[in-house]
Structure formats: C-alpha cells, structure tokens
Amino acid sequence: MKFTDGFWRIRDGVQISYATEVREVRPESKRFTSYASVRKVARRGDTLNAPLVTVDCFSPAEGVIGVRVTHHAGKRRPGPDFALGGDADGAGTVRQDGPVTELTSGPLTLRLDGSGPFALTFHDAGGRELTRADARNTAFVTTGHGSGHHMLTRLALGVGEQVYGLGERFTPFVKNGQTVDVWQADGGTSSEQSYKNIPFYLSSRGYGVFVNHPGAVSFEVGSESVGQVQFSVEDQALEYYVVAGPTPKDVLTRYTALTGRPALPPAWSFGLWLSTSFTTSYDEETVTSFVDGMAERGIPLTVFHFDCFWMREYQWCDFQWDPDVFPDPDGMLARLKEKGLRISAWINPYIAQKSPLFDEAAALGHLVRRADGDVWQWDLWQAGMGLVDFTSPEARAWFQSKLKPLLDQGVDCFKTDFGERIPTDVVWHDGSDPERMHNYYTQLYNRTVFELLEKERGQGEAVLFARSATAGGQQYPVHWGGDCWSSFEAMAESLRGGLSLSLSGFGFWSHDIGGFEGTPDPSVFKRWLAFGLLSSHSRLHGSTSYRVPWEFGDEAVDVARRFTLLKHRLMPYLYGAAVEAHNTGVPMMRPMVLEFPGDPSCRQLDRQYMLGPDLLVAPVFDTGGEVEVYLPEGTWTHLLSGETVTGPRWRTERHGYDSLPLYVREGAVLPLASDDARPDGDWLDAPVLLVHPPSSPRYEAEVTVPDTTGARAASFRVVRDDDVLRVTASGTGRPFTVRVAGGPEVRGAGEVTVPLG
C-alpha cells in the first residue's frame, strides 16, 4: 500500500508518524526494548501529547532476529497466529557499548545507536551491512483522516540487490518494482493474484525477511520508495524477522526451521498422476479405458485422480459417489487397485445447501456464521454453499469423519482444492479475527486433511494435492500451480510461480501438464509433458477436455512414455533430493540463483531450474523447439545425448519433442534405478551410478541412495586417483554398475575399479 505522493509529499488523508529519537533502551541478557518518540524532544514539554513507539528486539532462533514495533499495545489479539518454532528463552546475546546496543544471534547482529536518529541496522558475521531501517523508516500511519491505522517498516535495498519469493507469484520472478499484496485469491495464473501468499522474501544479498502477520500484508518492493522494501499491515503492531544466510540455502533452512519443514511425500507420489479432468463426461468405463490405454501404450501410471464430478452435481461436498455414474464404487476402486494404482479424490471445504451434510453441519455448529447468527452462504461455486469452520476442533473431527469412509474404500489421497475465497464478514468459532483468518484458513484446512491421512495411512504415506497455502503450508505437501491456460505463455508463467514458491520455503510443487483451461495444441502438450515429468510431481489434468496422451497424437504417447520412464530411472536421485527438502527445507526444484548465488547471470533466470543439486532443466516454450539456456561455470553433460558443454555460457539449442536441455553438473554422481516400470521400486537392485568426474586428477564424491521411507539404504564413495576411479559401496553387497560419462562402464559389487585410460 502506498502512503506517499512522490518523494516529498504525503497522500491526502494520510499522516505518518516516524520513530525519530531513542528515548530509552531497556536491555536484558537475550533481548532489548527501545522506546522511540515520533518527534525530537528538546524539552520536557515535548514529551506531552505525543505518541511513543515501542520496539522489541529478540531472537527466536540462531541466525534469526525479530523486531516487533507497537503503537498501542492494548489492542485485543484474537488470532490466528503462525505456529513458529524456535527457542522460547531466546537465542541472542545483548551487548551495550555506550549509546550502542547490539543483539547478536549466530552470524547476525542488530545494532541500535541511541545517540543518533532512530535506526536499526543488520550485519552479517563479517560486519557487512545486510539491510537497515534507518531514519524515517519505522512508523505508524493513519489513513482516511484517522479512520485507518497501519504499521510500516522500510528496509533498505543495496545497489543491485534483488528480491524473490512472497509466495507463488506469476508476475516477474524478480520482485523489484512490484506491489505485492499478501491476500489469498482464486485468480488463476495469469494475474497478480495468488493462491499461495507467503509474507517472506529472500534477498540476493544473503538474507530473508518474514513478516509475522497472517492477515493482509502489503509489500512495496522498490515500488514506492525505490531504494527500499516497504511492508505494512493495518494493525497496531508489526512483527518481522530478519533471517541470516550467508547463502540462500542457509536462509531457507533457517526460515523453514522456524515455520515448518515439509513432510516427506511417499515415493509412489512421484509417479505419473492421471485425472478424469474437471467437467468432462466420465464413468467407470471411461476411467478403465484411460487406465488400460496407458498400460497398452507402455506408459506407467501410478495414481488415478477423480475430479469434482465423482460426486453429484450441486452437492459438493457430500463425499458420496454419484450412484448414477458410479453404481459400484467399492468394486471399481478394488478393480483399479488390482491394476496397481493409487487413488486420489477431489474435495473442498465447502458444503452446498443441497448436500445432506449441510443441515447436519449447520445444526452441529460446524459452518461459519455471520454476526447475527445466520450461516454464511453464497451461490458462487456451489448453490447456497456454507464454509466448514476449521477453527472448531469438533468441526475438524466431523470433517475427518466424512473423509475416513473414503479411505476405508481405498482412496489414498485427496486433492484439497480451493480455500482462498474466505469471507471477512463472519464470526469464527474460536473468535479469530476474520481479516487474519482469510489467509490462514488454508492452513487449518490442509492440516486437517493431512493429519487424517497420517493417522490412517501412517507417517510417510500422507500426500495432498493442494492449491492454497500460507506460511507454514509447506509442511503439508504437495502443492500445485492452479488454473492455467493451455499455452506456452501459461506454461512459462506456471514455472515462474513454482520457482517463486520454492524461494518461499516450499519443497515440492506441481502443475497441470498441458494446462487446465482450453485444449492445448499438440506441440504445447508435448513440450509440457517433458517439463511436467521433470518436476517434483507430475499430473495430467484439464478442465473441459481429457489429457490422455493419445488425444494429442502418437508422438505425444512416445513423449509421455519416454519421460515417465526417465523419471522412474531417476528416482533414487530424485528421492534423495526429496529427503534433502524434508530435512533442510531446500526445495527439489531450485531456481538457478539458489544453486549458483555467486553467478550474476543466474539472478534473473526464470525459464530454467535445477532439479535437485545436479540436474539442470530448461523447458522448451516453442513449437519449433528453439530454446535459450544458460550453463554456469564447469563442464555440463547432456543426460540424453552425452554432449558436453563448458560454461559459463549461453546457448541457443533446438530440440525435438523427445528432448530438451537436460544437463548434469560436473562432479555429480547420479544413482539410477534399473526398474523403470514404477517410481517406488527396489533402488538397490542393480543400480547404475552415472559418474561425471571433473578433469582434475584428484576427485572425491559420495552419494546416498535412500529407501522408500527416506532412510539411508546405501552409500557409494567415489574416488579418482589419476587414471583410476574407485567406487566403494557401504550398506549393500549387491551388484551395481559404474558408468563414467563419455567413458567406460564396469559392473561389480563391494568395490568397483574403473580405468579412465
């Protein structure tokens, strides 16, 4: 939200009161509080009839410093609040030297000099300034001639500093120059609105900032004061955390330790998902024809998804199969299970008036109500629908009780759609602030479903396909990119959104292969197949048309088969990256700037990414197959062709539908599965270690192959000594093959020696 009119003037009806002068500092051992006047105090009379801003500085975790700026502290705080981890006693140390007070936490120091104008500066372990809120950058603001009250902070941007994140945003990848409103909306992928709004940004200078407010947060990223990031909330207090690096990975690791690490999705979920699509006509015969058609064409299928119309029209959600379309759901699911499939079912948190559950939920008090006690209803999406009140423990248990019979029937997971259009003119069961609950609702919704899946299926077997999220939502994977068009432009904007989300702490992300709205041209579909099957999760889904590959020609079938089999072979490597995301918060799909923060050429790249630490993927967004790709320093080997390229350099390449830029990083050891029929096979049954040694005569690397629970199953140590490469296995005595890129291949067990000649 903008408050100024250019650099010199303030907008009509706006008054800004800046923290101006430090009047007192109260230090403790691990935190301090300062009090700042909003005008200079020359004499005692200046302390009268004037506000005082309270600034609390503390550290909830090593390398994280929090600042809470308060005008009036007596405002009621009904919640909700983000559930944050950290040390309740504090992780910082306070030091005073004359007028200077410092709070240090790990490699991060906050400095307040009480002898000058009020200013907070943040420094890294080497004393380098990361950012600052200097004079006239901490304030409260009244708007509408006093009717509105906002808290505001501006943090400085250094020369050339770039800002990323703020959720799954489809606008330009680098957020400089943008106004970003953190407010959940069902706006598709072609607008500035977002399904997943995260009040966290990551800076190219090696730090992050998290605004600890679940409601509306407005960011002006160099778009009002062009040398600063401004964030504001309509409240009496504003709390934010500066998160230390020094690398972007370090920032994400610290941030996700605070807001929650992603659960590890089951290995089977990384296989190919196929949907009925949304409004298409389908029954068991249709479903069976799709499943059998995939098998007949040699395209392994892992999950079949039933979208909305598995339930009766006007009754979403009643969680009952449409008896006219699916007269034998138990038998149908059993028959699909016999084919080796997992089952996904679409749900949302809305209860239509025609659903038998509406009256039941209303009578039990499980639907959100207006201030006058009436159930909140509208006719958008479903006629007369109400909204499940997940702030009530009883309502959460009731909702889970309606889903459990589906799990008992054989459903394995749920697509938790919607959760964005949450009203603010309502009263919540637990008294939550409606404005704060608008964004936070999705957290309660997805957590309710995820916890049921963990309870019924066991930890490590729960997975969602969720659309909406807020900070902390990464704990309940997987999230997909929402409703996109069936075009190259929408394919590119979907990737931008996914990369933006990955820099917001989300480890796993997917999208609708081929696009959701409309029917893609076969060229779009085939290019999207390669991109989709080189994403963390892969789903064929559309709106009014089917997404089975043969609808788009024989070549589309070949492309689907090729890249599905490739993903299955890559699973030991991919699941290792998934385990890393689970343990550290570093995402599977990594923007180039995350993996190569020291390379200036990587800082704006949004049409390519690293899949795990060692695979570079550049989707093709062109019918003719032309694509630009940037390769950072080192020797890169194309995984499919074996071609080697030395970076740093840009290349313009042309690829058929069966290929794309897919390069392996120098020094990488890729463990490949021998079984490409499924994603969750026995990865230690004759694996292949694809080694890409650097040209130097000395080289060491180690790669771990997890089992399907994420535990270490075996590791392989690779050592090069001049012209000999030795690979030693630990944790397995079974045979494996070592294949040196562009060189020999040797099979053995225990220890394998490969002459490099």
Side-chain angles (χ1 to χ4, degrees):
M1 182 174 180
K2 293 182 172 69
F3 300 103
T4 57
D5 178 11
F7 184 73
W8 306 110
R9 294 169 57 85
I10 305 298
R11 296 192 176 199
D12 289 343
V14 173
Q15 181 176 347
I16 305 181
S17 299
Y18 296 102
T20 300
E21 187 174 273
V22 178
R23 299 303 301 163
E24 184 183 357
V25 176
R26 293 182 180 175
E28 300 178 25
S29 61
K30 296 184 177 183
R31 60 186 297 146
F32 69 87
T33 299
S34 65
Y35 299 90
S37 61
V38 300
R39 66 187 184 194
K40 286 188 174 295
V41 178
R43 54 189 178 83
R44 282 189 170 183
D46 293 337
T47 65
L48 303 176
N49 304 312
L52 197 65
V53 175
T54 304
V55 182
D56 295 297
C57 301
F58 55 95
S59 174
E62 186 270 341
V64 180
I65 289 180
V67 177
R68 181 175 178 85
V69 184
T70 305
H71 180 203
H72 288 159
K75 181 185 176 184
R76 188 176 60 91
R77 293 188 61 194
D81 294 294
F82 293 124
L84 303 181
D87 186 344
D89 295 328
T93 301
V94 172
R95 182 179 74 90
Q96 281 195 303
D97 183 6
V100 175
T101 305
E102 291 185 340
L103 170 62
T104 297
S105 178
L108 185 63
T109 294
L110 166 62
R111 187 173 188 265
L112 172 67
D113 186 347
S115 65
F118 182 88
L120 300 172
T121 59
F122 296 86
H123 301 265
D124 66 13
R128 180 179 67 115
E129 182 181 293
L130 297 172
T131 189
R132 67 187 182 277
D134 54 17
R136 297 174 65 83
N137 285 325
T138 300
F140 67 86
V141 185
T142 58
T143 57
H145 300 281
S147 61
H149 186 284
H150 302 256
M151 300 300 296
L152 171 151
T153 291
R154 300 188 188 112
L155 293 178
L157 287 171
V159 175
E161 182 175 355
Q162 294 171 309
V163 171
Y164 310 92
L166 296 172
E168 182 191 48
R169 314 215 78 86
F170 308 104
T171 54
F173 177 57
V174 177
K175 300 304 182 288
N176 296 54
Q178 298 183 42
T179 296
V180 176
D181 291 320
V182 172
W183 190 251
Q184 308 288 56
D186 178 3
T189 68
S190 301
S191 77
E192 82 285 358
Q193 296 180 355
S194 174
Y195 305 103
K196 306 171 189 68
N197 289 270
I198 315 299
F200 168 80
Y201 67 83
L202 192 150
S203 164
S204 62
R205 286 178 66 84
Y207 69 92
V209 175
F210 170 55
V211 179
N212 185 20
H213 193 290
V217 184
S218 180
F219 288 85
E220 299 290 344
V221 187
S223 49
E224 180 173 15
S225 178
V226 296
Q228 297 166 318
V229 177
Q230 173 181 297
F231 41 90
S232 60
V233 298
E234 189 167 7
D235 209 332
Q236 290 287 340
L238 170 61
E239 183 172 290
Y240 64 93
Y241 299 84
V242 175
V243 184
T247 71
K249 289 183 181 179
D250 293 328
V251 175
L252 290 181
T253 295
R254 288 190 170 97
Y255 168 71
T256 55
L258 193 67
T259 59
R261 297 268 166 76
L264 180 64
W268 56 261
S269 72
F270 290 78
L272 182 59
W273 299 46
L274 174 62
S275 164
T276 58
S277 289
F278 172 29
T279 61
T280 56
S281 177
Y282 54 85
D283 53 15
E284 183 178 357
E285 183 179 358
T286 309
V287 170
T288 302
S289 72
F290 287 170
V291 171
D292 291 346
M294 296 288 279
E296 290 162 4
R297 292 165 175 84
I299 307 172
L301 185 63
T302 304
V303 183
F304 192 86
H305 170 71
F306 290 88
D307 217 58
C308 315
F309 282 95
W310 69 270
M311 289 180 279
R312 290 167 286 187
E313 61 184 28
Y314 293 116
Q315 297 195 185
W316 305 338
C317 290
D318 63 1
F319 308 115
Q320 298 294 318
W321 294 87
D322 184 339
D324 295 331
V325 180
F326 300 106
D328 180 22
D330 292 317
M332 177 185 65
L333 295 182
R335 289 185 282 275
L336 291 173
K337 291 281 190 175
E338 288 172 1
K339 297 175 184 289
L341 292 172
R342 304 281 183 157
I343 305 299
S344 167
W346 176 95
I347 62 171
N348 72 26
Y350 311 142
I351 308 294
Q353 183 171 294
K354 188 172 181 287
S355 167
L357 298 185
F358 182 89
D359 289 342
E360 178 183 336
L364 292 170
H366 295 338
L367 298 179
V368 177
R369 296 182 180 271
R370 299 184 185 275
D372 62 6
D374 292 343
V375 171
W376 177 90
Q377 291 180 265
W378 69 358
D379 292 326
L380 290 181
W381 184 241
Q382 288 290 281
M385 62 170 236
L387 180 66
V388 177
D389 188 344
F390 289 115
T391 71
S392 163
E394 292 78 14
R396 294 196 297 271
W398 174 84
F399 193 78
Q400 290 175 332
S401 74
K402 303 304 177 183
L403 296 179
K404 185 178 181 302
L406 293 167
L407 299 179
D408 295 339
Q409 267 186 325
V411 170
D412 295 284
C413 53
F414 295 106
K415 172 183 169 180
T416 49
D417 207 349
F418 289 81
E420 303 94 0
R421 292 178 178 170
I422 306 304
T424 56
D425 57 340
V426 294
V427 175
W428 294 91
H429 171 84
D430 71 347
S432 285
D433 181 331
E435 189 267 349
R436 294 167 74 93
M437 184 54 70
H438 172 85
N439 287 344
Y440 195 76
Y441 181 86
T442 175
Q443 185 78 346
L444 299 179
Y445 167 37
N446 284 315
R447 187 176 73 194
T448 297
V449 180
F450 196 87
E451 287 178 347
L452 172 69
L453 288 166
E454 281 198 325
K455 178 182 177 183
E456 295 298 318
R457 292 288 185 262
Q459 194 170 21
E461 282 296 308
V463 65
L464 305 178
F465 229 86
R467 190 173 76 174
S468 58
T470 187
Q474 67 269 9
Q475 297 171 84
Y476 314 117
V478 170
H479 294 83
W480 103 96
D483 298 346
C484 50
W485 292 94
S486 301
S487 66
F488 283 123
E489 292 79 9
M491 181 177 160
E493 68 199 23
S494 293
L495 176 56
R496 282 199 304 276
L499 296 181
S500 182
L501 187 68
S502 75
L503 291 183
S504 306
F506 283 68
F508 306 97
W509 176 80
S510 187
H511 45 95
D512 291 340
I513 295 176
F516 178 71
E517 292 288 353
T519 300
D521 180 88
S523 64
V524 172
F525 183 74
K526 287 179 283 190
R527 297 297 184 190
W528 211 319
L529 275 168
F531 166 39
L533 284 157
L534 289 168
S535 300
S536 93
H537 286 74
S538 310
R539 184 181 71 158
L540 293 162
H541 180 64
S543 178
T544 59
S545 56
Y546 302 127
R547 291 292 181 269
V548 287
W550 52 91
E551 291 278 324
F552 303 92
D554 292 340
E555 189 174 30
V557 171
D558 295 338
V559 173
R561 180 192 309 111
R562 176 175 175 80
F563 285 99
T564 303
L565 297 176
L566 174 63
K567 188 174 189 184
H568 289 180
R569 290 214 68 197
L570 287 168
M571 272 303 295
Y573 165 77
L574 295 177
Y575 210 58
V579 172
E580 183 182 0
H582 168 63
N583 289 334
T584 70
V586 175
M588 283 191 69
M589 296 177 69
R590 305 174 183 181
M592 299 299 292
V593 68
L594 184 61
E595 200 64 46
F596 301 94
D599 187 338
S601 296
C602 289
R603 292 176 188 163
Q604 296 194 31
L605 298 182
D606 61 4
R607 296 194 302 275
Q608 62 183 73
Y609 56 94
M610 298 296 292
L611 183 58
D614 295 321
L615 274 182
L616 188 155
V617 183
V620 180
F621 302 100
D622 176 75
T623 300
E626 187 170 284
V627 55
E628 293 180 330
V629 59
Y630 174 75
L631 299 169
E633 185 177 359
T635 299
W636 297 79
T637 304
H638 196 277
L639 182 64
L640 303 179
S641 71
E643 179 188 6
T644 59
V645 182
T646 300
R649 64 179 297 187
W650 279 94
R651 280 167 59 90
T652 299
E653 302 180 357
R654 189 174 296 276
H655 289 262
Y657 292 111
D658 63 346
S659 182
L660 78 167
L662 180 59
Y663 285 94
V664 185
R665 191 176 186 172
E666 182 179 59
V669 180
L670 291 188
L672 306 178
S674 60
D675 179 10
D676 59 11
R678 54 187 296 170
D680 54 348
D682 181 356
W683 298 329
L684 289 180
D685 180 16
V688 174
L689 301 181
L690 187 54
V691 183
H692 296 76
S695 57
S696 60
R698 299 289 184 271
Y699 159 69
E700 290 189 20
E702 186 167 350
V703 64
T704 295
V705 176
D707 63 21
T708 55
T709 71
R712 174 186 173 275
S715 61
F716 298 88
R717 184 167 181 264
V718 181
V719 177
R720 178 178 182 171
D721 188 0
D722 291 327
D723 292 335
V724 175
L725 192 78
R726 290 186 177 84
V727 181
T728 306
S730 174
T732 179
R734 300 162 74 180
F736 60 93
T737 297
V738 178
R739 181 183 303 155
V740 178
E745 177 179 308
V746 177
R747 178 181 170 87
E751 182 173 290
V752 171
T753 300
V754 183
L756 299 179

